[in-house]
């Protein structure tokens, strides 16, 4: 009995400690850390209810303990959905929380059934984890994702086993009263199991959070702070990560026409708006998987892996047209702003994508020489109004 009493104090302390650690991690910018933190704090309060709220009637303690545990499981699911950037399904999960409280309240306050209360508690904790697990299962990309999903799945399995066991071996006469249940061997085993699996889940979630924070800082070092496009270092790393896929595709180089005039006439803040809008047009038009980088000032490079030269040219034309027809009055710019584009394919003879970038840059300068606000595609010749677009042929 003494070991059970000691463990009853230790378990809330462990969960509270993890909760505070996660809240500390939240200050580093991880989006799921607050949900993990408050989830563990809620579970700690659930385990500590008899100690903290012993002055309340046993039934009141049971209602509050269920509220804390339901809230903890709700927040665990929230943390999963936030980490994997999936819809949070708040209405459905809040409905489950409310239904669980209503059912638990009925068995505690009306039916006076310990068995019904415990089964209800486990059943709705399972339900609160089921929706998030099903939602994220198709989005596991890294080993840490699989590990986190697995450990949360283990929590689900442990709860399910407990529910089945309780259904088979327990009757309404097994435990008479909340205090007697808390003093039982069953409650002790349940707490031990919950502590071990909860400890493992906390360590795994904490590892995932740390890796996400480190990855976020690394990603920030490889991105342009104004546009969130890749910088040169980030572009090179992203191309290297493509492997063989990075050996074929299309490069688009772009430059805002007369950008210095925009800065001189309307200020650098207006120039920043122009740059941001051009990058946004790239993001909207280019397919998923395209690498968009700001190489400096108003110069941009996009790499479209696996795409043909014709397709790349079409994308560049669409962006060029949309940018030229953009209305700037709301930004304070009272003149037309355009951009020029050069497009080329990565050649089999290219030792790196930078050789293709150099040719696309030559195409870009040809577009500038031909009057700006147009697209020059490697190895092709076309007319745009009265201006002839010179072709650039790969060496």
């Amino acid at each position: 009995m003494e070991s059970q009493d000691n463990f009853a104090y230790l378990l809330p302390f462990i969960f509270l400690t993890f909760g505070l650690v996660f809240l500390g991690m939240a200050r580093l910018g991880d989006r799921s850390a607050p949900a993990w933190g408050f989830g563990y704090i809620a579970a700690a309060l659930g385990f500590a209810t008899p100690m903290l709220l012993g002055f309340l009637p046993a039934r009141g303690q049971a209602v509050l303990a269920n509220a804390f545990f339901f809230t903890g499981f709700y927040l665990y699911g929230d943390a999963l959905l936030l980490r994997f950037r999936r819809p949070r399904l708040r209405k459905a999960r809040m409905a489950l929380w409310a239904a669980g409280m209503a059912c638990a309240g009925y068995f505690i306050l009306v039916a006076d059934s310990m068995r019904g209360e415990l089964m209800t508690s486990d059943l709705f904790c399972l339900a609160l984890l089921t929706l998030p697990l099903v939602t994220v299962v198709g989005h596991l990309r890294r080993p840490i994702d699989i590990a986190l999903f697995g450990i949360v799945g283990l929590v689900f399995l442990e709860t399910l086993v407990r529910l089945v066991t309780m259904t088979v071996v327990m009757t309404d006469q097994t435990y008479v009263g909340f205090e007697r249940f808390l003093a039982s061997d069953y409650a002790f085993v349940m707490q031990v199991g919950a502590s071990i699996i909860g400890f493992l889940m906390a360590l795994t979630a904490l590892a995932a959070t740390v890796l996400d924070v480190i990855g976020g800082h690394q990603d920030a070092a490889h991105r342009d702070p104004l546009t969130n496009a890749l910088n040169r270092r980030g572009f090179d790393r992203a191309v290297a990560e493509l492997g063989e896929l990075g050996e074929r595709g299309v490069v688009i180089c772009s430059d805002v026409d007369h950008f210095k005039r925009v800065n001189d006439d309307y200020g650098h803040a207006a120039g920043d708006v122009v740059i941001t809008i051009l990058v946004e047009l790239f993001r909207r038009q280019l397919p998923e998987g395209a690498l968009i980088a700001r190489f400096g000032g108003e110069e941009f490079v996009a790499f479209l892996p696996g795409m043909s030269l014709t397709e790349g040219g079409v994308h560049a034309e669409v962006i060029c047209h949309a940018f030229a027809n953009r209305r700037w009055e709301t930004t304070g710019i009272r003149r037309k702003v355009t951009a020029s584009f050069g497009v080329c394919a990565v050649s089999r003879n290219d030792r790196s994508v930078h050789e293709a970038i150099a040719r696309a840059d030559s195409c870009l300068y040809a577009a500038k020489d031909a009057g700006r606000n147009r697209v020059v595609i490697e190895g092709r010749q076309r007319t745009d109004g009265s201006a002839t677009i010179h072709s650039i042929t790969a060496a």
Side-chain angles (χ1 to χ4, degrees):
M1 183 65 68
E2 183 179 352
S3 63
Q4 293 188 23
D5 291 339
N6 292 336
F7 192 78
Y9 285 99
L10 181 61
L11 185 57
F13 176 77
I14 293 173
F15 275 57
L16 177 62
T17 301
F18 275 119
L20 294 176
V21 170
F22 276 114
L23 292 184
M25 291 296 298
R27 301 187 63 180
L28 299 177
D30 185 81
R31 55 191 286 124
S32 65
W36 286 118
F38 287 117
Y40 269 90
I41 291 173
L45 291 173
F47 286 118
T49 295
M51 294 176 287
L52 297 177
L53 304 175
F55 58 88
L56 292 177
R59 292 185 179 185
Q61 294 180 42
V63 170
L64 288 174
N66 276 282
F68 287 133
F69 285 127
F70 287 159
T71 301
F73 273 73
Y74 176 92
L75 290 169
Y76 295 154
D78 214 35
L80 274 181
L81 295 171
L82 283 167
R83 185 180 186 280
F84 289 97
R85 300 180 183 273
R86 307 312 304 155
R88 294 171 70 179
L89 311 171
R90 286 177 174 174
K91 290 183 178 180
R93 294 190 301 123
M94 283 301 298
L96 285 173
W97 187 95
M101 285 302 302
C103 291
Y106 168 78
F107 285 113
I108 295 168
L109 302 175
V110 179
D112 193 20
S113 170
M114 177 65 67
R115 179 174 183 266
E117 175 208 342
L118 295 176
M119 290 177 63
T120 294
S121 178
D122 287 341
L123 180 63
F124 279 93
C125 284
L126 284 174
L128 287 167
L129 277 186
T130 298
L131 277 177
L133 285 171
V134 170
T135 302
V136 306
V137 68
H139 301 272
L140 310 178
R141 300 289 182 265
R142 298 178 296 167
I144 190 63
D145 298 338
I146 298 172
L148 182 59
F149 180 86
I151 196 65
V152 177
L154 188 59
V155 173
F156 178 94
L157 184 61
E158 186 265 344
T159 307
L160 179 61
V161 169
R162 189 170 64 241
L163 175 61
V164 173
T165 302
M166 191 182 310
T167 304
V168 173
V169 304
M170 188 175 174
T171 68
D172 284 330
Q173 286 72 44
T174 303
Y175 302 112
V176 181
F178 190 55
E179 298 91 341
R180 186 172 178 182
F181 167 73
L182 290 176
S184 67
D185 291 336
Y186 177 84
F188 179 68
V189 171
M190 182 183 75
Q191 289 180 334
V192 171
S195 66
I196 293 173
I197 297 178
F199 182 81
L200 293 175
M201 184 172 75
L203 290 180
T204 307
L206 190 59
T209 300
V210 170
L211 290 175
D212 287 346
V213 169
I214 293 173
H217 286 296
Q218 288 179 336
D219 187 64
H222 290 90
R223 289 192 176 275
D224 169 53
L226 175 63
T227 63
N228 201 38
L230 297 168
N231 56 26
R232 287 176 182 259
R233 182 190 303 172
F235 180 84
D236 289 340
R237 185 188 69 167
V239 171
E241 290 176 351
L242 289 173
E244 292 184 1
L245 189 59
E247 298 175 2
R248 54 189 175 87
V250 174
V251 171
I252 300 174
C253 286
S254 177
D255 185 288
V256 179
D257 298 328
H258 301 299
F259 184 68
K260 186 176 183 302
R261 293 183 188 175
V262 175
N263 282 332
D264 291 344
D265 294 344
Y266 304 104
H268 289 280
D272 289 346
V273 171
V274 170
I275 287 172
T276 302
I277 289 175
L278 179 57
V279 172
E280 184 58 33
L281 288 174
F282 268 94
R283 289 198 178 101
R284 289 181 187 176
Q285 176 60 29
L286 299 184
E288 184 178 358
L291 304 180
I292 304 167
R294 183 182 182 187
F295 268 37
E298 71 280 18
E299 302 173 5
F300 297 90
V301 172
F303 177 55
L304 289 64
M307 186 166 290
S308 69
L309 185 62
T310 299
E311 291 172 316
V314 169
H315 285 303
E317 291 279 3
V318 171
I319 297 170
C320 181
H321 183 268
F323 190 69
N325 286 279
R326 163 84 179 177
R327 299 183 67 86
W328 300 94
E329 288 83 355
T330 56
T331 65
I333 299 174
R334 295 179 298 277
R335 60 184 290 267
K336 186 175 182 178
V337 183
T338 63
S340 300
F341 296 77
V343 184
C344 83
V346 178
S347 168
R348 293 180 179 178
N349 297 324
D350 289 336
R351 287 169 292 183
S352 75
V353 71
H354 285 279
E355 293 190 6
I357 291 174
R359 295 198 307 277
D361 201 45
S362 297
C363 293
L364 169 61
Y365 279 102
K368 296 278 190 183
D369 291 341
R372 297 180 170 82
N373 187 28
R374 63 200 67 215
V375 177
V376 167
I377 302 174
E378 177 187 49
R380 300 186 184 182
Q381 184 172 349
R382 50 157 289 195
T383 59
D384 189 356
S386 59
T388 300
I389 306 302
H390 303 288
S391 64
I392 302 294
T393 305

